[in-house]
Amino acid sequence: MNHFHYRGGQLLAEGVAIDDIARHVGTPFYCYSTATLARHFTVFQDALAQAGLDATVCFALKANPNLAVVRTLAQLGAGADVVSEGELRRALRAGIPPERIVFSGVGKTRHELEFAVAKGIFQINVESEPELRALSEIAAARGVRMPIALRVNPDVDAGTHAKITTGKKENKFGIEWTRAHEVFTRARALPGIEVMGIACHIGSQLTEIEPFQAAFQRVRDLVAILRADGFNIRRLDLGGGLGVPYDGETPPSPADYAKAIAATLGDLGCRIIVEPGRLLVGNAGILVSRVVYVKEGATRTFVIVDAAMNDLIRPAMYEAHHGILPVTEPAAGAPLLPVDVVGPVCETGDTFARQRPLPPLSEGDLIAFTTAGAYGAAMASMYNARPLVPEVLVKGDDYAIVRARPDFEDMIALESTPDWMGG
Ligand code: LLP
């Protein structure tokens, strides 16, 4: 469900014509819908409440850290899952209170841990024994007891793309399942730390419920073991990972997901924390781009657009599929011809779609890559000295540029040439 639709032959974001934004902002740009963000957050939160769960929804900022997007969710009551000092600063700046922020990540530096402890956030999800020792020293030195969860690696196959699966024992994340009890016992003995619970995240873009169920069951088993040993386990952070439809997939609904949590963990009396990223923002964003040329190759037609892999890297990095909509609605019965949609970057990997059946496109036409709100702008770079793609937020009939396109001087502002090179 999203709020990008055709009206009068033109693609709109809520009440705003994409073509109007393109004329004002230039292309390429990301466009987000406030109504879609709000709907996704509300549907997800309601599903958890209806399943009878005492749950806190901590938006995984990595999916879309734009301040206006985060603030939209913050105003609806979202907390944040952050993985760096930068994301923590963004969450705070967007108005998320520290007591709704969890800090995840396999390589938090001492500096980052110090910052998080100083801000008094809700919880740090510790992923290793060295991190545990570092955090213990830091918190003890400040005379506080930092609430933590230990992230365990349940060794469950999420059945998703290899680059975004995290819950197998060969993955770098979390504490090995078989050693979890031992590490919890060590943690209990350390000063500056209060062990509150268990954290677990098995991967992203999951389209089946079974891997979640298997992971939650393992968490349940661990709660029993730890409680029998006197641990007061009262929080369970279940990570994110619920998939969205990019290409006809049918991921579990928020209601199914909430029911799976309730069925395995609902009776334990624990506060549940979830860290959805993609689910909240994926469908709420599109990447709008203009056709630069249409080139007839030896064996295929290339539609060359002005967005590139630096703006949306998911197809190049994960062979990901993004829908493509012409911004001017195609005539009913328009022929669909297979084309390759490519960007201008000097790599064959800079290909958004291969042999995609699309209605005829010509120079100057606008297209939209759909479901681009998650891990789109967030993963953009300036490769090929291309400016970071701007972002626009729509609300009803209004829109605002929420990240401007940098100009050339902005792009080189942090660079300098050493004195020995002369002026
Ligand atoms: N919590 C933790 C600890 C995570 O590592 C992640 C994602 C999330 C929550 C949010 O997961 P989500 O609900 O968005 O699936 N760049 C990749 C996705 C990387 C996901 C990394 N971790 C992509 O474009 O598909």
Side-chain angles (χ1 to χ4, degrees), residues 124-326:
I124 296 182
N125 293 344
V126 175
E127 296 217 18
S128 67
E129 289 168 272
E131 184 189 346
L132 199 54
R133 287 192 291 270
L135 178 59
S136 166
E137 279 170 31
I138 288 163
R142 294 185 73 94
V144 297
R145 284 187 86 193
M146 185 66 212
I148 68 158
L150 284 177
R151 175 167 174 187
V152 297
N153 183 329
D155 194 22
V156 166
D157 187 354
T160 182
H161 192 280
K163 282 185 189 156
I164 52 174
T165 196
T166 52
K168 290 283 289 167
K169 63 174 180 288
E170 57 270 30
N171 300 139
K172 68 181 175 181
F173 299 96
I175 289 157
E176 204 188 318
W177 176 249
T178 51
R179 295 198 50 238
H181 188 186
E182 180 191 334
V183 179
F184 268 88
T185 307
R186 296 221 172 126
R188 176 161 61 180
L190 288 173
I193 274 174
E194 177 156 22
V195 181
M196 306 290 282
I198 304 168
C200 164
H201 167 84
I202 56 173
S204 193
Q205 184 53 16
L206 272 73
T207 52
E208 305 290 341
I209 198 74
E210 288 78 10
F212 285 120
Q213 288 168 327
F216 298 162
Q217 187 56 48
R218 293 215 121 176
V219 169
R220 182 184 180 84
D221 295 345
L222 185 57
V223 172
I225 292 169
L226 293 171
R227 283 187 172 166
D229 191 19
F231 284 90
N232 181 7
I233 298 297
R234 47 210 188 277
R235 295 182 187 169
L236 301 175
D237 181 338
L238 304 175
L242 192 52
V244 303
Y246 285 98
D247 188 18
E249 303 91 332
T250 49
S253 66
D256 293 342
Y257 175 76
K259 277 185 209 145
I261 298 175
T264 34
L265 304 167
D267 61 342
L268 296 179
C270 287
R271 175 148 171 200
I272 302 287
I273 296 123
V274 281
E275 305 171 349
R278 191 189 314 266
L279 182 80
L280 298 183
V281 295
N283 263 319
I286 59 174
L287 171 63
V288 180
S289 181
R290 203 177 278 284
V291 176
V292 184
Y293 299 116
V294 177
K295 166 167 150 175
E296 296 302 335
T299 59
R300 53 187 65 198
T301 303
F302 296 99
V303 174
I304 305 167
V305 298
D306 64 0
M309 63 190 287
N310 70 297
D311 305 312
L312 176 64
I313 204 171
R314 303 193 66 259
M317 193 145 171
Y318 317 109
E319 293 82 39
H321 177 103
H322 286 269
I324 298 175
L325 292 177

